[in-house]
Amino acid sequence: MLRFACCMLLALLLLNSTESRAQDATLNSKLTELKKQNNLTDWLYERIEYTNANPQQLPFLLKTQTEAWRQPANADERVAWLTLLTTQGYDQLQAGDILSSINYYEEAYAYYYKYKVADFDANEYICKPLSNNYTRLGDYERAVFIQQRSVDNLPAADVDNIASVYSNMAISYYSMGNYPMAESCIAKGEKLVKSSEVKFRLQNILADIYYDHNQLPEARALLTKNIAHQKKVDAESAYSRFGAYTTLGRVELKAGRLDAAESAFKTALLLVNKWFPGDRQRERANITAALGKIERELGRQTNALAYLNDALKLLRINTAEGKTQAKLIYGENNLVDIFHEKALVYKSLKQDEAAMENLRYALLATDKMRREFADNKTKERLQHDAKGLAEEAIEMASALYSKTKDSKYLNLVLEIAEQTKARTLADEIQHSHQQIANRHDTAMRHLLDIERAIAYNERLAMEGKDAGRYRQTVNVLKYNLSLLNKTYRREAADGMLPTSATLAALPQQLHVVEYFWGNKAMYAISIRNRAVERVVRVANADSLSKQITTFINNYYRNGPGAMLNAPKAFYGQSNAIYRQLLSGMSLKNGEQLCLVPDDVLGHLGFDGLITNSNYKPIIQQWPFLLRQVSTTYTFSLNALLKNKPQGSAHDNFTGLFVTHQNNSNTPIIAVKKEAEAVNKLVRGDYLYDAEVNNKAFFNAFENSAVLHISTHAYLSGVNKEPTLDFGTQKLFLFELLAKRNKPSLVVLSACRTGDGLLAQGEGVISLSRGFSAVGTPATIAGLWNVNDDAVATITAGMYKHLLAGKSTGAALHLAKLNWLQAVRPADALYLPYYWDSLTLMGTDATVKLQQARGFNYLYLLLLFLPLVAYVVWRLRR
């Protein structure tokens, strides 16, 4: 009997194989004939229809472009080509490959707008799935852009489709945390909608907003009411009903009602299985993972692991045996959540190594996501959102080091900290290098043209009356740039150095302290002799952040009054902050200290911190950190090493000095004094007032070893854009673009040029950061509104030491020490408000400068000439 069954099975397989070969032969014959007829339209549709009938033949469809004998030449062929691209995008999404799906839809989008294919429904078949894909990936800015284009392109009478787009746009805004805009989109949609199905979706999104605001009873009531009103469930309404039950499950889970949550999730799973068999694998995986979370919270860890591994199998990450294939991990929020859940399960089972492994998988999925992002705001938000996950990983790695004393866990702490710090800046630096290296490439030249157009329209939006129109142009240009820049962007995102290479590239004598600021604790990572020597944990991160913020505002940003009026209080608070930030770092007298700040520390000057708790009334004798070590700063080690000096093609100095403001005839005395002091020391080009403009700046930027800028700086507009004021013109941060030649050092002798909005995980978005982004190895900038006389004196002193061959960090350090050691009219002038604003951000290296030809040398020569003439006269006698 068994033998008979085997024979029958073999016969069936042979029959199927024969039928398949016959089918393939028929298809090939049709395709060959259509190619002979030069009938590209039917040739494309034949391949599409064959794959629709045989989904397992997707690789055949994906080869269509390479096997086509020519490009489309008329309207019908272009519609067929767009149908091919969108089918490929849809099929790749169903197969679970979201990144490939995005690529095909982006190609369709670019093709549609290039050829203006009027007979193709781009809103339904390109914009909707593409924006949904961006949302799945977490790239909400690009999702909103595509959704807004759909709204603009749809006929006003097509109210249900417009309302449907508003529902998707509400999801994007809600997901990025912009609840007012999400609620506005829901209101616009509900005002237009006629379809009960679209109204149902809008209500579901409103329930999501209630969920995020912890309005759980309201969310539950709204969802329950919506589900009850939906009497008929069919293929069209099933997905929205599934969404309602999924959100209801999340609401019940957050409320701690695990049985109700499980019931809602299982109902959602039944809907998917019934109405979408074989499809919606992502949704099926998400529900399975949610059930795993419930099992974990119920303490049934074995069941939880089974659910979570099943979810990973559905997403094609795990093998049938449950083994995770790290090389197949891709960027998606749901993957991050699943690996995080697995880590929590293993942690509860006391399997710390397995927990650590899954946390790293979660961080890897996060990192893969950022490679696909185009908008810096999206990247910054991702870094902010990933901070909690990174903190868990750092805490676990620290605990494993305490248990094992294996130094690999200290290196892992550094690796995770670097993953969360200034990654967008490192991408921009890498991109600047690519622009310069590929400047003769046609695609790169086109890319640079778009970047210049963006900067031009950004300026018009900042200065013009019709800001909305220019902002819309910027959005279109930025999206087009994101499509052009995809290959370069991925290369940039791949450019993070391994921890071992990072440590090996640091100067041997440098002591680095890198900070990671989490939700629960702050971590200080000490690196000495190219090795991580210790990690110090400081608890109560939120309380410490408030303490430091208050300290900076009271004693620095609001002027010197608080220091002057209560020096003892300042002394005590400064020492308390020093002890929390640096007392465990074993600082050695005279060593070079490089600080990698995080969070609020980006606004703090460390040189003025007090290292001893014994108060002395004489300020000049206070034990400032400046007296102990020479301090520099960097946004991240990765950014520091990417921006190493390449050797300037120039050795000249250019100074830009704006000594008059607002057409006043009265000079700013301190700027005039600073210009005169530097001019006596350094030979170079000095431009003043009307000579200083944007053109002069960019010329100086490309032709100087050192560029010195002395003028006012501030934050402009609602977005707090860092701005340099050149009197008749302004230079905005976004106008800084990569140049082949750049200064080795930019000195920003102006107020708050190191200040700006704080992007968590990224650092302070300042002018100093902007110069770093375009490849400048080092900048000296001010953290607060500087005292002009002090800065003029310290800047001149710094140039004296630079001319003597000192490095930039050492020269600035010595100039500050000179201020402290010199006699001042009042003891209060030794307070750090006056001398600690300027900081070096970036590489500490020597720079090329030429000494000024002073009149003293000429005077001595004139005195010496008569003596020479006299000696010659005597010899001739």
Side-chain angles (χ1 to χ4, degrees), residues 420-579:
T420 67
K421 197 180 307 299
R423 294 293 302 283
T424 304
L425 173 60
D427 288 353
E428 290 174 333
I429 293 169
Q430 182 85 358
H431 182 59
S432 296
H433 294 333
Q434 289 167 343
Q435 287 180 333
I436 294 161
N438 300 295
R439 62 190 182 280
H440 299 305
D441 179 72
T442 303
M444 181 58 79
R445 285 203 300 271
H446 185 32
L447 186 149
L448 287 169
D449 288 341
I450 293 179
E451 288 190 348
R452 292 188 187 98
I454 288 170
Y456 173 75
N457 282 278
E458 289 263 26
R459 169 177 278 279
L460 293 176
M462 288 286 292
E463 296 182 335
K465 294 180 180 178
D466 197 359
R469 179 165 65 89
Y470 294 122
R471 179 61 54 197
Q472 191 173 12
T473 301
V474 167
N475 290 338
V476 173
L477 288 168
K478 281 187 173 181
Y479 185 79
N480 292 339
L481 180 66
S482 78
L483 301 186
L484 267 179
N485 201 24
K486 196 154 194 170
T487 301
Y488 297 114
R489 188 169 71 246
R490 284 179 181 165
E491 288 175 9
D494 286 338
M496 186 171 175
L497 290 170
T499 303
S500 56
T502 299
L503 291 170
L506 295 174
Q508 178 70 42
Q509 75 282 5
L510 189 65
H511 182 190
V512 176
V513 177
E514 175 158 339
Y515 293 94
F516 174 90
W517 207 287
N519 296 318
K520 299 176 184 176
M522 183 273 291
Y523 292 84
I525 306 160
S526 178
I527 303 165
R528 203 193 297 272
N529 297 323
R530 298 175 178 163
V532 182
E533 63 174 1
R534 66 170 56 86
V535 175
V536 175
R537 182 181 188 273
V538 179
N540 301 318
D542 187 56
S543 173
L544 180 58
S545 177
K546 290 175 181 174
Q547 176 189 351
I548 293 173
T549 300
T550 301
F551 176 80
I552 292 168
N553 288 337
N554 285 350
Y555 293 114
Y556 293 98
R557 287 187 169 171
N558 295 333
M563 275 191 205
L564 292 167
N565 295 331
K568 189 172 183 179
F570 166 79
Y571 187 104
Q573 291 178 42
S574 178
N575 179 246
I577 290 171
Y578 166 80
R579 283 186 279 112

Side-chain angles (χ1 to χ4, degrees), residues 147-211:
Q147 288 153 355
Q148 187 59 58
R149 293 213 87 171
S150 292
V151 169
D152 295 341
N153 292 337
L154 282 166
D158 195 356
V159 291
D160 282 336
N161 269 329
I162 294 173
S164 180
V165 176
Y166 274 127
S167 75
N168 291 334
M169 198 183 297
I171 293 172
S172 299
Y173 280 121
Y174 148 76
S175 300
M176 67 172 74
N178 191 338
Y179 299 111
M181 283 302 296
E183 290 170 348
S184 171
C185 289
I186 292 170
K188 288 176 182 176
E190 289 187 325
K191 188 176 180 181
L192 293 170
V193 69
K194 293 180 180 178
S195 161
S196 59
E197 176 59 26
V198 177
K199 187 170 184 178
F200 189 95
R201 292 209 305 269
L202 286 163
Q203 292 290 299
N204 284 352
I205 300 161
L206 185 58
D208 278 321
I209 294 173
Y210 287 154
Y211 169 87

Side-chain angles (χ1 to χ4, degrees), residues 772-791:
S772 295
V774 295
T776 308
T779 59
I780 290 174
L783 289 173
W784 53 82
N785 290 333
V786 295
N787 176 270
D788 292 333
D789 288 332
V791 167

Side-chain angles (χ1 to χ4, degrees), residues 266-287:
K266 286 187 174 179
T267 303
L269 194 57
L270 286 171
L271 285 165
V272 172
N273 290 336
K274 178 180 179 180
W275 293 101
F276 309 103
D279 288 338
R280 304 288 181 183
Q281 297 293 74
R282 291 180 63 263
E283 287 85 348
R284 193 175 277 106
N286 295 343
I287 296 297

